[in-house]
Amino acid sequence: MTTRKVLTLTLVRNIADEVLMGLKKRGFGEGKWNGFGGKVEPGETIPQAAARELTEECGLRAHYLTKVGLLDFEFLNDPVIHEVHVFETREYSGTVVETEEMSPKWYKIEDIPFNEMWLDDPIWFPWYLKGGPQFYGYFLYKGFDTILKQELKSTDLP
Ligand code: 6U4
Ligand code: NA
Ligand code: NA
């Protein structure tokens, strides 16, 4: 039987149009640059989890979160589907700080380090960066270095 693990992923954009990426220092995705996020805890909404994880991982407080996409990840021979809710914030306060989990850095769009990110990121990130409509993505991984199946389409998120 498959189960779903609900996660958030938040991308921060500044007025210079740079994207804040975090180098994950521990746990799932260690050594990869990524947005900020984690598991939704019991009793919180998905946007609340996104806001909490953002603050925990890089110190910023989101004033406004926009839903940009939904990603489902499956790993071959693993019954757990990772359901990742992707948000963007352009309105936030606070100071970017390094945390135990993440080492944050602003990237110009042309410098985003795709070769040190999840393999699926070069597929859906450009869609996000162009400001396209909300997207739905599905990726089936074999291990962490091979994508066996992929899908990316526009959708309307609730
Ligand atoms: P802790 O250690 O509790 O703070 P936790 O809440 O367990 O962290 P974590 O850090 O494991 O969550 O969450 C994984 C993060 O990685 C989430 O933000 C979602 C993101 N993520 C997972 N798979 C991804 C993938 N294939 N591509 C991607 N982001 C992914 O871009
Ligand atoms: Na996390
Ligand atoms: Na967490």
Side-chain angles (χ1 to χ4, degrees), residues 43-134:
E44 67 182 357
T45 65
I46 296 170
Q48 281 168 350
R52 174 185 52 73
E53 289 278 352
L54 179 71
T55 306
E56 285 176 7
E57 295 186 356
C58 78
L60 295 181
R61 277 182 303 126
H63 296 176
Y64 192 79
L65 287 166
T66 309
K67 270 186 205 179
V68 297
L70 179 63
L71 300 167
D72 278 338
F73 298 102
E74 274 195 276
F75 295 88
L76 204 62
N77 301 321
D78 182 343
V80 183
I81 298 173
H82 294 227
E83 176 185 311
V84 179
H85 295 254
V86 188
F87 294 87
E88 179 193 64
T89 183
R90 291 171 177 267
E91 294 168 41
Y92 52 86
S93 60
T95 309
V96 175
V97 292
E98 179 164 359
T99 61
E100 273 179 32
E101 183 160 347
M102 285 285 206
S103 182
K105 182 175 173 343
W106 290 105
Y107 279 98
K108 291 188 176 65
I109 284 166
E110 61 272 25
D111 295 334
I112 291 173
F114 284 111
N115 55 357
E116 297 169 63
M117 291 163 65
W118 281 100
L119 268 187
D120 55 273
D121 287 17
I123 299 163
W124 61 265
F125 232 84
W127 179 308
Y128 155 69
L129 291 168
K130 274 188 303 195
Q134 292 175 318

Side-chain angles (χ1 to χ4, degrees), residues 12-32:
V12 184
R13 236 25 201 275
N14 68 15
I15 47 169
D17 217 30
E18 295 167 324
V19 185
L20 187 67
M21 304 294 297
L23 180 63
K24 195 111 186 306
K25 290 158 64 171
R26 64 167 194 210
F28 195 71
E30 184 177 337
K32 291 184 169 78

